[in-house]
Amino acid sequence: MPTLRSATANSSPVATPSPAASSTPRSVKRRLTPGSAGQLPDASRHTSPHRSPHAGAGNVYTPKLLSASPKSSRKRLYGDLVLPEKPKWNPRGKSLNFPFWPAYPAQMRAVKEALHVATVPSCGLVCRDDEQNRVLEFCKACVEQEKAGSLYVCGCPGTGKTLSITKVKESLVRCADEMGMETPDELAINCTNLGNTSDIFGKILGQFLGRKKGSGKLSPLQQLQNMFSNKESAPRRMMMVIVDEMDYLITRDRAVLHDLFMLTTFPFSRCILIGIANAIDLADRFLPKLESLNCKPLVVTFRAYSKDQISDIIKHRLKVLEYDVFEPLALEFCARKVAAASGDMRKALGVCRSAVEVLEASLKDSDQEIGMVTFDHMDVALSKVFKSAVVDSILCLPQHQQMVLCALANTFQHCKKKATSLGELNKSYIEICRSTQVPAVGMLEFSNMCMVLSDQGFMKLGQSKEDKLRRVTLQIDSSDITFAFKGNRFFQKCLGLPRYANKSQLWICERSDACIVLDQSGKSTAKLFIGVLMPREVYMR
Amino acid sequence: MQKYENGSANGRQTARTLTPSLPSVTVHFKSTFPPSSAFLPVAGERPRMDLSATPSRSKSKAKSSPAKPIAASAEVQMDLCTPSKATPKRKSKSVTSPPPTTPATPSTVRRSRRLLDTPTKANPEAPVKATPTPTSKGKRAAPSPKTPAQREPKRQRRQPKKRSYYRKVVYDGGEFEVGDDVYVKRREDAESDAEDPEAEECRVCFRSGGGVMVECDMCLGGFHLRCVRPPLRRVPEGDWSCQYCEAERAGKAMERPKPPEGKRIVRTAKEKLLASDLWAARIESLWREPDGTFWAKVRWYIIPEETAAGRQTHNLRRELYRTNDLGDIEMETILRHCFVMNPKEFRDANDAGDDVFYCEYEYDIHWHNFKRLADIDDEPETKEDPSDEPYNANTDYISDTDEDSEYDEEEEPTSCSLARRNQTHELAANSRKGRIYGLQKIGIRKIPEHVRCHQKTELEKAKATLLLATLPKSLPCRDKEMEEISTFVKDAICNDQCLGRCLYIHGVPGTGKTMSVLAVMRRLRSEFDSGTLRPYCFIEINGLKLASPENIYKVIYEQLSGHRVGWKKALHYLTEHFSGGTRIGKQANQPIVLLIDELDLLLTRNQSVLYNILDWPTKPNSNLVVIGIANTMDLPEKLLPRISSRMGIQRLCFGPYNFRQLQEIIISRLKGINAFEEQAIEFASRKVAAMSGDARRALEICRRAAEFADYRTKQSGQASLTCNRGDGVVCMGDIEAAIQEVFQAPHIQVMKNCPKFGKVILVAMVHELYKSGLGEVMFDKLASTVFSWCHVNRELLPGYDTLLKICCKLGESKIILCEEGSKHKLQKLQLNYPSDDVTFALKESPDLPWLSKYL
């Protein structure tokens, strides 16, 4: 485990940096200390430290570090320059408080590794003690009494459910050892990996029988039921079955889920069933029968992380590094933002990592000395994730698509209708084109453009056999469109067009257009309509 | 290839280089000729053109009868040496008569090469295989109806300049044809290569010959039927394994019989190949260097042990993988034929001999993944014909100096291959060895090479480069995005421990998403080749090509391991692999980059496929990097929260191109070709940028415009020989026409071309609709209008049923919408298109001048 590795590097004796250990960032740094402590910023401007004679240890560098050449050496340069300002957070209190990481790519890597989703913090989970204890107590009780039980764990994504349960599993094994009980078997199943929902019984049975094939006649479920119903055949050891993403087991008749929970009610059942899913009320909603049978699972809810918890967890993860990576303010900002949005730890870690990348990029671009991730970096990273870029993306659209949006806004702005059809939209789009004297695109291309717009989430297209009858709804606020085109006279004109409430009026308008055509060809009948209905448009022409 | 100024001097050089090489050749055939006769056919030093095409018989056991044909072929050889007598016709006969075998060459001499393939045009009367060999054109220079004797000197003079390519070569007694599979020597000086036992020895009695032998399917050892305990009567059906293998499988120890003292075990070529002492290869092309040595370009086969995955349990003993690695080797190193078969052939080949191998997959040596051969061959092959290359080679053999530079490579084979390798890396377009992938496949098929070989005009060149299938040399306007992708991949790969991550790329169609990712991967590969990057495996999957979303597991597993299993099993294996259990193959810690194009197609009802794929990178030690590409911006929001949580926050947006970028893209494609007016390009790009910003559209419009211009030029060239200024250049008018064609719906054309009464009906309909102000019109009303019009304008009156029929026709083409026909004259009609379009289309119709007054 990477975090462990760096942890051991820390604990290694300071006095004896062996050449072999020189590849870890720490020891290299240590070797640099005597040199750079004395000759601070002056020497380092032009020579990268590992070439400087003061360092006197150029030969111990591994080729790997040497080959990292100009970039890394520049980074090291920063490291030396930032030296005087000490990091605020220095848990080990040693004298080697180096301004840490722009110095080495290896350190950067360690930071990223610590922030990675897959990295399991070595020293236990924080902020989930309560839930873990409850689950552990439950399991312990089951193991002690040799009685089956079921538990249901729910919570939003990214709240550490699976991770906590895995930890509980480990500690349960430890506890059982301490108590002198027989260690329970364990089986973790992720339901998304099942080809068929009822395969789960086969897996459980296989675990109980220890890879032996049971009799072929009965289904695995029946075999399990038989096994648990009489004393002789019941297995001696308890088994902890962890069913992750349990809601994938929901079938139309809910038989699988029901049978699974029912397994724990058999007199000689040895199953400790722990189901994990997102829905709070999965058991209540889908298995009302269980309540009447008195085998309703105990429910443990994992709440979304609060801002303090998020920042605690990130700090905890970064504890393995002996340097400050984030400004406390930046971390706080990130935690608040994520907690407000979803409380998803994965997202928080992703934001932190992306902030580190922002810093990396800014290091590459400019010559500033930045020692840690500041508020600004975090702001950039957060805005990448949480900002809704509707207005910007409207402004980036091709012109005709913008006009389609105008047409859509026109239709919805003044009447109460919520949806329109593609054909209607095309008509009002053509109207806009005509009034602005832009040649309109054909119907095929138009529906293509609408498709693209719906891909980008501006509108929603319904399904229909006939292309013209597809239902169109606006997905964004129409005031966004108005706002985006505020300064543009062309689109102001597009948005200011009259709207036609119903079909007959639309038809009249259409006809009045025909009138205009006729007018050009010298017909006089058109005037009536023009005078009555379309004064503005006629003058416009 | 170096150019030689002096042909004759080079000829001498050929002779010199040949002679010293003779002793080094340890030929594995017994010398049956006296040494004197060995040097007799000196004329044979210059490769002879033999006019016959001997039927190339497959000869698995041909070696076993070396003695008899020797004499025959020797005779032929002598015959060849007396060229005065040899008329083309006679010679062809004389060669066809002896069976093609391994004529034992005089041991130290390897000069019995004859080129079996000849200029077909040289003597059409000869019974030559009528394949229009590319060589033919090249040899046209040689005067045809002369005897070889007279031809020789001429060839001698000409040859040194260029390589000459052949379809079939008799070299050292074996006939080698393009497409054959051969054994190739692996080491320079291995003694054991020389020995090549005729038949395998029995594993029990260690004697060869003497009865039928049966092969064990597990250890591939041969056994006499009588030596097996219990003895067998006949060769058993189905799989059979020897008692030793059976015992081993049962876990018992059983001593295999040791060979008698003093007897050396001779391994057959097959055994040596499987012990990686030999190579197997497939001949792609054959040629002779100017210095007279014979070379072949071969495609290597490798044994499963040499792949990154190692030998796996599902590999057959005789399984080989074809690679995409090509190499140039000297014919000297080729030993003899072997036979690599596809699964079907292999199943049918029961007793085809010892040198039969099985090959189902192609192994990509760069990405370390497997592709089924059947898939590759099914693909519409835009790969250049193998005949292309010789063709060019021979055109420049005649006179064309234009293409010469291509062949100005170093003479030395090593540097030559090196040069070629580098070359492929520089040119992005060629780096995939002519195979087509990804974006290159979209769009129109490439024009075959022979169409383009005449001197191309600027316009034609422009058309070729504007094809969607042509990979551009560079990708302008996407530098930022590509930089981001490459840092993403590198970040994940470069570390000692690969951190699994996920990147979602979205953007409207035609904005270069897939192309950018592939370009980045190519660049990374060249970095990897130069050694700055760790090895990694790259898997590319297009969601559209999967029969069902679940099949993606199958495809991934197949590419990783070269083994086909059902998707459930594949899912099981993959889950184990990524969650740190048993790994697939040897490449335990190799990072895997998985590119999924059209990611949104993997959405199933419960989204479990996407969940699994996006869950793997979050496992510790998964070493998986997923790059997903799709059009929809809000795909993560549409997914279940648990999936979008696992997807991470890495997004990359490819916005639509604006007109400046489109302009740059087109100009960069047309670099060096002066076929477009500046404004024309700008017009096209502005037009496209206003509608969709789709680069494919822009290229398509430009190409179509180039076609229009080409057509125009040809027309004007035919009509009058005077050249106007606009010829040969695409101008605004062409672009306009192309845009009309691409963006305008075809209905106006249809209306313009519909029959006379159809037009009348349409106009009458517009008229009626306008008059009544309704959206639809009854048929009888329409008909009466038409009748009255026709009456007034002295047209022939149509019948009622004719009008109805025409209405139906128009209804079928959806110009108008009509109710069902049972209502007859009461059916209501509706225009499907705006009435303006009808007016526009029918305003001036030449056959009905009176129509416009009703509009």
Side-chain angles (χ1 to χ4, degrees):
Chain A
M1 196 178 293
T3 44
L4 268 183
R5 189 169 18 143
S6 44
T8 48
N10 289 338
S11 57
S12 72
V14 185
T16 59
S18 71
S22 66
S23 59
T24 69
R26 269 292 301 279
S27 50
V28 172
K29 206 167 44 189
R30 223 169 277 140
R31 205 160 293 116
L32 274 175
T33 341
S36 43
Q39 38 103 25
L40 270 177
D42 51 349
S44 48
R45 241 322 157 192
H46 29 83
T47 56
S48 72
H50 69 262
R51 300 243 170 78
S52 81
H54 301 277
N59 51 347
V60 251
Y61 282 91
T62 52
K64 195 167 149 206
L65 273 177
L66 274 174
S67 68
S69 70
K71 202 171 90 189
S72 66
S73 71
R74 192 153 59 106
K75 280 200 175 165
R76 206 162 299 141
L77 201 75
Y78 290 142
D80 283 18
L81 286 175
V82 197
L83 178 70
E85 26 176 282
K86 295 204 170 180
K88 284 165 194 143
W89 183 71
N90 189 7
R92 309 203 184 256
K94 285 182 187 151
S95 60
L96 5 117
N97 37 17
F98 255 77
F100 57 102
W101 49 275
Y104 304 108
Q107 293 194 343
M108 182 69 101
R109 202 180 304 156
V111 170
K112 282 183 186 166
E113 225 169 80
L115 288 176
H116 190 251
V117 187
T119 315
V120 183
S122 50
C123 29
L125 292 172
V126 285
C127 311
R128 285 294 178 216
D129 303 327
D130 208 20
E131 286 87 352
Q132 275 188 47
N133 281 340
R134 278 177 66 192
V135 178
L136 187 60
E137 286 307 316
F138 172 80
C139 294
K140 259 200 229 164
C142 285
V143 170
E144 275 169 18
Q145 299 162 20
E146 292 212 340
K147 142 177 126 33
S150 58
L151 185 78
Y152 174 64
V153 176
C154 61
C156 296
T159 45
K161 298 182 295 294
T162 311
L163 195 59
S164 311
I165 300 299
T166 331
K167 289 275 171 198
V168 168
K169 192 173 74 180
E170 283 162 18
S171 46
L172 178 68
V173 171
R174 222 178 304 128
C175 284
D177 275 342
E178 282 166 13
M179 290 190 300
M181 310 284 294
E182 198 158 5
T183 50
D185 277 340
E186 57 212 16
L187 173 67
I189 301 170
N190 194 326
C191 293
T192 54
N193 292 337
L194 297 173
N196 192 352
T197 44
S198 52
D199 289 353
I200 191 167
F201 300 116
K203 285 203 171 184
I204 297 173
L205 185 70
Q207 184 77 10
F208 267 119
L209 295 178
R211 300 273 160 241
K212 265 181 291 176
K213 279 268 180 269
S215 64
K217 274 179 202 162
L218 297 171
S219 71
L221 174 62
Q222 285 166 324
Q223 285 185 53
L224 277 177
Q225 285 168 347
N226 287 349
M227 192 157 76
F228 290 146
S229 45
N230 37 12
K231 189 155 190 180
E232 300 86 60
S233 63
R236 287 187 51 242
R237 291 170 72 177
M238 296 297 289
M239 176 149 75
M240 189 171 167
V241 182
I242 299 170
V243 184
D244 208 346
E245 306 297 348
M246 202 172 210
D247 48 352
Y248 278 89
L249 291 181
I250 299 174
T251 48
R252 185 164 294 171
D253 54 355
R254 290 141 201 183
V256 177
L257 206 55
H258 191 255
D259 289 336
L260 191 65
F261 276 106
M262 287 302 281
L263 275 185
T264 56
T265 59
F266 281 91
F268 302 103
S269 174
R270 291 284 181 272
C271 262
I272 307 172
L273 182 70
I274 300 181
I276 305 176
N278 293 139
I280 296 177
D281 52 350
L282 180 119
D284 298 334
R285 206 146 38 110
F286 295 102
L287 304 165
K289 241 192 205 170
L290 289 183
E291 183 133 38
S292 59
L293 291 170
N294 203 17
C295 60
K296 201 164 165 286
L298 186 70
V299 178
V300 177
T301 312
F302 278 61
R303 287 218 200 96
Y305 287 113
S306 69
K307 65 177 173 53
D308 298 329
Q309 285 172 323
I310 289 179
S311 64
D312 274 354
I313 292 171
I314 295 176
K315 275 180 198 157
H316 185 77
R317 276 187 176 243
L318 293 174
K319 216 180 267 179
V320 290
L321 314 163
E322 77 278 25
Y323 31 77
D324 268 358
V325 182
F326 293 100
E327 266 182 5
L329 200 60
L331 208 58
E332 171 97 14
F333 184 39
C334 166
R336 272 175 190 276
K337 258 289 210 225
V338 174
S342 61
D344 185 345
M345 199 59 219
R346 290 200 191 98
K347 199 158 257 180
L349 290 173
V351 169
C352 287
R353 181 181 168 132
S354 123
V356 171
E357 270 162 12
V358 170
L359 171 68
E360 203 177 14
S362 69
L363 275 181
K364 223 179 264 176
D365 292 342
S366 68
D367 281 351
Q368 286 175 323
E369 312 131 15
I370 312 158
M372 58 178 73
V373 178
T374 58
F375 189 82
D376 297 338
H377 298 137
M378 191 59 88
D379 191 30
V380 174
L382 278 170
S383 68
K384 260 198 226 166
V385 183
F386 290 108
K387 193 186 67 180
S388 100
V390 174
V391 174
D392 287 349
S393 50
I394 288 178
L395 289 177
C396 291
L397 285 175
Q399 191 197 12
H400 279 265
Q401 294 180 12
Q402 287 173 337
M403 283 161 75
V404 173
L405 280 186
C406 282
L408 205 55
N410 279 348
T411 9
F412 291 132
Q413 215 161 25
H414 292 277
C415 61
K416 293 277 175 276
K417 264 200 313 186
K418 284 274 171 278
T420 178
S421 77
L422 207 58
E424 298 279 304
L425 185 62
N426 190 24
K427 273 181 189 154
S428 76
Y429 159 75
I430 286 174
E431 207 52 48
I432 287 180
C433 285
R434 201 174 283 159
S435 70
T436 52
Q437 282 162 343
V438 173
V441 298
M443 182 66 198
L444 270 178
E445 189 61 32
F446 177 78
S447 66
N448 223 345
M449 290 197 306
C450 287
M451 234 65 127
V452 167
L453 283 175
S454 82
D455 268 350
Q456 290 178 324
F458 290 118
M459 57 164 83
K460 194 171 161 192
L461 279 180
Q463 292 294 331
S464 171
K465 224 188 287 173
E466 198 78 17
D467 218 17
K468 277 190 173 175
L469 299 180
R470 291 180 80 169
R471 200 181 139 89
V472 182
T473 41
L474 194 60
Q475 290 288 90
I476 51 173
D477 197 16
S478 68
S479 60
D480 273 347
I481 301 175
T482 343
F483 179 74
F485 295 134
K486 205 175 239 171
N488 194 326
R489 277 187 67 191
F490 175 82
F491 287 111
Q492 282 294 306
K493 215 160 92 186
C494 294
L495 284 170
L497 277 184
R499 282 142 298 268
Y500 316 106
N502 59 41
K503 208 167 179 178
S504 69
Q505 267 180 327
L506 186 73
W507 168 78
I508 290 167
C509 154
E510 220 174 60
R511 207 154 65 126
S512 69
D513 274 310
C515 288
I516 294 166
V517 175
L518 289 174
D519 199 24
Q520 282 160 354
S521 63
K523 281 268 172 182
S524 55
T525 45
K527 284 226 168 107
L528 174 76
F529 295 103
I530 295 164
V532 173
L533 276 169
M534 303 274 302
R536 245 178 82 206
E537 204 168 335
V538 173
Y539 296 143
M540 219 156 54
R541 297 213 174 180
Chain B
M1 191 194 291
Q2 284 169 3
K3 281 191 216 157
Y4 290 94
E5 271 84 47
N6 194 338
S8 61
N10 204 35
R12 249 179 286 134
Q13 196 193 356
T14 315
R16 230 186 311 118
T17 47
L18 259 178
T19 344
S21 74
L22 296 180
S24 72
V25 184
T26 50
V27 191
H28 49 276
F29 296 118
K30 288 261 178 340
S31 151
T32 46
F33 276 88
S36 58
S37 74
F39 284 97
L40 223 162
V42 185
E45 238 171 333
R46 310 181 214 113
R48 289 272 182 141
M49 303 313 297
D50 188 300
L51 300 177
S52 72
T54 342
S56 81
R57 221 188 65 192
S58 67
K59 42 179 185 88
S60 59
K61 288 295 182 191
K63 273 190 299 96
S64 53
S65 59
K68 199 193 84 195
I70 291 168
S73 71
E75 265 172 32
V76 174
Q77 228 164 350
M78 303 302 286
D79 196 19
L80 284 175
C81 299
T82 51
S84 54
K85 270 196 275 176
T87 61
K89 202 144 195 176
R90 243 202 72 201
K91 227 167 73 174
S92 69
K93 268 185 195 155
S94 65
V95 177
T96 14
S97 50
T101 38
T102 49
T105 355
S107 65
T108 46
V109 198
R110 280 207 171 219
R111 47 185 75 164
S112 63
R113 352 183 141 107
R114 286 163 297 150
L115 303 161
L116 268 185
D117 201 56
T118 23
T120 33
K121 290 213 177 124
N123 44 345
E125 75 274 14
V128 185
K129 232 187 240 171
T131 44
T133 6
T135 355
S136 59
K137 198 181 164 194
K139 304 285 169 48
R140 211 186 307 164
S144 42
K146 290 181 183 168
T147 53
Q150 282 159 316
R151 217 165 57 231
E152 282 300 329
K154 286 214 165 179
R155 291 190 52 76
Q156 183 71 18
R157 242 183 297 135
R158 289 209 177 238
Q159 250 161 29
K161 293 234 175 90
K162 307 285 178 219
R163 293 174 175 180
S164 36
Y165 284 82
Y166 303 102
R167 280 178 57 86
K168 196 189 276 184
V169 164
V170 170
Y171 190 89
D172 199 21
E175 267 182 38
F176 296 102
E177 202 179 340
V178 172
D180 280 353
D181 304 310
V182 288
Y183 288 117
V184 180
K185 267 193 271 188
R186 190 161 231 189
R187 285 162 302 174
E188 199 42 56
D189 49 345
E191 277 304 306
S192 61
D193 285 351
E195 71 202 16
D196 193 7
E198 295 310 327
E200 213 185 341
E201 289 162 344
C202 172
R203 291 289 170 92
V204 181
C205 63
F206 291 95
R207 265 173 305 202
S208 59
V212 185
M213 287 169 75
V214 59
E215 186 183 85
C216 169
D217 283 318
M218 289 181 76
C219 62
L220 290 190
F223 296 89
H224 281 129
L225 288 183
R226 58 168 187 276
C227 297
V228 184
R229 297 285 163 260
L232 293 168
R233 283 290 172 82
R234 63 183 84 80
V235 178
E237 289 287 319
D239 283 1
W240 176 84
S241 47
C242 61
Q243 67 253 41
Y244 310 108
C245 292
E246 297 242 342
E248 257 169 39
R249 198 161 48 176
K252 280 180 281 189
M254 188 163 177
E255 191 94 344
R256 282 174 187 273
K258 290 231 172 59
E261 279 301 314
K263 178 157 170 91
R264 227 161 50 99
I265 297 182
V266 183
R267 293 181 305 164
T268 55
K270 177 258 306 174
E271 283 170 323
K272 275 184 264 183
L273 174 70
L274 293 182
S276 66
D277 284 339
L278 283 181
W279 268 318
R282 175 198 182 88
I283 300 177
E284 297 275 308
S285 63
L286 295 163
W287 74 89
R288 186 184 49 186
E289 286 291 325
D291 62 358
T293 52
F294 279 80
W295 288 78
K297 181 190 277 301
V298 294
R299 183 187 283 271
W300 299 109
Y301 290 103
I302 56 173
I303 54 177
E305 280 85 353
E306 286 168 349
T307 63
R311 178 174 281 280
Q312 296 163 70
T313 44
H314 58 80
N315 286 128
L316 297 179
R317 286 298 306 173
R318 283 182 184 269
E319 184 159 353
L320 295 180
Y321 289 115
R322 195 171 91 182
T323 63
N324 54 356
D325 188 19
L326 295 172
D328 294 347
I329 56 163
E330 233 175 317
M331 288 288 281
E332 202 78 351
T333 55
I334 291 179
L335 278 182
R336 61 181 170 88
H337 283 276
C338 60
F339 304 95
V340 181
M341 299 178 166
N342 62 31
K344 193 167 172 295
E345 289 167 353
F346 187 78
R347 214 178 306 128
D348 298 339
N350 272 330
D351 46 357
D354 194 32
D355 303 320
V356 176
F357 297 98
Y358 171 90
C359 178
E360 193 186 358
Y361 283 90
E362 180 176 289
Y363 177 73
D364 192 319
I365 51 163
H366 301 291
W367 301 121
H368 304 295
N369 58 24
F370 300 89
K371 269 213 168 63
R372 212 178 306 155
L373 278 178
D375 291 349
I376 297 169
D377 298 340
D378 281 349
E379 281 170 8
E381 204 67 26
T382 40
K383 174 182 163 185
E384 304 135 48
D385 267 329
S387 53
D388 277 345
E389 201 179 16
Y391 187 89
N392 289 340
N394 287 311
T395 42
D396 61 352
Y397 173 67
I398 302 176
S399 61
D400 198 355
T401 49
D402 193 300
E403 311 256 275
D404 227 357
S405 51
E406 250 182 68
Y407 286 88
D408 273 347
E409 284 167 14
E410 285 291 306
E411 192 65 12
E412 259 182 303
T414 48
S415 55
C416 164
S417 61
L418 268 182
R420 182 161 305 154
R421 198 152 292 164
N422 288 343
Q423 193 189 347
T424 53
H425 282 302
E426 278 161 23
L427 292 180
N430 284 339
S431 61
R432 289 185 165 215
K433 304 241 154 83
R435 291 251 309 276
I436 41 167
Y437 282 90
L439 202 72
Q440 306 160 52
K441 261 193 219 160
I442 308 167
I444 300 138
R445 200 86 66 79
K446 212 161 110 190
I447 299 170
E449 205 72 31
H450 61 267
V451 179
R452 289 191 268 146
C453 61
H454 72 96
Q455 196 61 46
K456 276 189 270 185
T457 62
E458 295 278 286
L459 275 176
E460 278 165 345
K461 272 190 222 163
K463 274 196 281 180
T465 47
L466 287 174
L467 271 185
L468 296 180
T470 340
L471 243 196
K473 303 266 187 305
S474 64
L475 277 173
C477 313
R478 287 295 179 207
D479 298 329
K480 213 178 112 239
E481 282 85 356
M482 277 164 68
E483 181 61 31
E484 206 158 317
I485 297 169
S486 101
T487 41
F488 170 80
V489 177
K490 267 196 205 162
D491 245 21
I493 289 176
C494 286
N495 302 354
D496 306 329
Q497 192 205 11
C498 169
L499 300 177
R501 294 178 77 189
C502 208
L503 174 68
Y504 177 61
I505 299 177
H506 61 90
V508 292
T511 45
K513 301 182 291 291
T514 314
M515 196 116 128
S516 307
V517 176
L518 289 182
V520 166
M521 295 314 286
R522 270 195 294 270
R523 206 189 293 157
L524 287 181
R525 193 183 76 190
S526 54
E527 238 170 83
F528 158 62
D529 283 342
S530 62
T532 49
L533 214 59
R534 281 178 67 205
Y536 65 97
C537 180
F538 176 56
I539 299 175
E540 184 196 338
I541 292 170
N542 193 326
L544 267 175
K545 285 194 202 147
L546 300 170
S548 77
E550 283 87 11
N551 275 349
I552 193 170
Y553 305 127
K554 204 166 100 180
V555 176
I556 295 173
Y557 183 70
E558 190 172 349
Q559 293 217 18
L560 276 179
S561 69
H563 189 208
R564 232 177 321 158
V565 294
W567 69 263
K568 285 181 187 172
K569 199 147 199 185
L571 170 62
H572 175 74
Y573 286 136
L574 285 174
T575 314
E576 293 233 320
H577 177 97
F578 290 120
S579 54
T582 47
R583 297 268 167 169
I584 299 165
K586 274 196 304 205
Q587 70 254 64
N589 288 317
Q590 214 176 51
I592 297 166
V593 180
L594 178 63
L595 170 67
I596 304 174
D597 212 341
E598 315 291 350
L599 187 74
D600 43 353
L601 291 176
L602 295 183
L603 273 182
T604 47
R605 208 170 50 81
N606 60 11
Q607 308 184 355
S608 63
V609 176
L610 264 185
Y611 178 92
N612 278 329
I613 287 174
L614 296 177
D615 192 32
W616 289 330
T618 63
K619 301 256 173 71
N621 302 321
S622 65
N623 291 341
L624 179 69
V625 179
V626 177
I627 302 177
I629 301 179
N631 288 347
T632 46
M633 186 158 75
D634 50 352
L635 179 71
E637 281 74 49
K638 280 187 212 159
L639 297 173
L640 292 175
R642 68 190 89 163
I643 299 177
S644 59
S645 165
R646 279 170 175 80
M647 198 173 210
I649 55 160
Q650 286 272 331
R651 303 286 142 79
L652 185 58
C653 178
F654 279 68
Y657 289 112
N658 61 28
F659 79 95
R660 256 178 261 284
Q661 289 170 322
L662 284 176
Q663 209 173 338
E664 199 184 328
I665 289 169
I666 298 171
I667 288 174
S668 80
R669 282 232 184 186
L670 291 174
K671 200 179 275 173
I673 302 169
N674 193 15
F676 274 75
E677 277 179 8
E678 192 97 338
Q679 302 101 312
I681 294 178
E682 182 169 343
F683 179 54
S685 49
R686 271 186 190 272
K687 201 80 186 175
V688 173
M691 287 176 206
S692 55
D694 184 340
R696 274 186 212 134
R697 262 299 155 69
L699 291 175
E700 199 73 336
I701 284 174
C702 286
R703 195 182 57 85
R704 190 74 188 118
E707 275 171 12
F708 279 131
D710 202 16
Y711 182 71
R712 189 165 44 95
T713 316
K714 275 177 190 152
Q715 287 285 316
S716 69
Q718 277 172 5
S720 61
L721 291 170
T722 54
C723 222
N724 9 339
R725 208 171 47 80
D727 272 0
V729 173
V730 180
C731 59
M732 291 286 256
D734 300 319
I735 297 272
E736 180 68 49
I739 286 174
Q740 282 298 326
E741 195 182 284
V742 172
F743 284 120
Q744 283 301 329
H747 61 271
I748 296 202
Q749 278 303 322
V750 176
M751 284 185 208
K752 272 186 179 164
N753 294 332
C754 67
K756 203 163 80 178
F757 282 115
K759 285 178 190 169
V760 177
I761 287 175
L762 282 175
V763 174
M765 209 160 150
V766 171
H767 190 78
E768 281 298 317
L769 289 177
Y770 173 65
K771 232 167 64 181
S772 69
L774 297 170
E776 47 199 20
V777 63
M778 293 279 248
F779 176 73
D780 56 346
K781 200 158 192 195
L782 187 74
S784 65
T785 317
V786 172
F787 286 143
S788 72
W789 284 9
C790 286
H791 197 72
V792 169
N793 296 291
R794 302 181 182 191
E795 281 290 332
L796 200 64
L797 281 181
Y800 213 79
D801 53 341
T802 324
L803 279 187
L804 202 57
K805 212 196 283 176
I806 292 171
C807 269
C808 279
K809 286 259 167 64
L810 287 174
E812 270 170 15
S813 53
K814 292 276 179 214
I815 300 289
I816 58 177
L817 306 173
C818 35
E819 285 182 320
E820 66 269 33
S822 61
K823 287 200 176 170
H824 202 59
K825 67 180 193 181
L826 290 180
Q827 64 177 301
K828 285 174 187 154
L829 307 174
Q830 218 177 353
L831 261 184
N832 197 18
Y833 291 96
S835 50
D836 294 4
D837 285 358
V838 181
T839 320
F840 175 77
L842 303 179
K843 207 177 272 173
E844 298 112 14
S845 50
D847 48 345
L848 293 167
W850 51 268
L851 208 57
S852 58
K853 71 180 172 199
Y854 293 103
L855 287 166

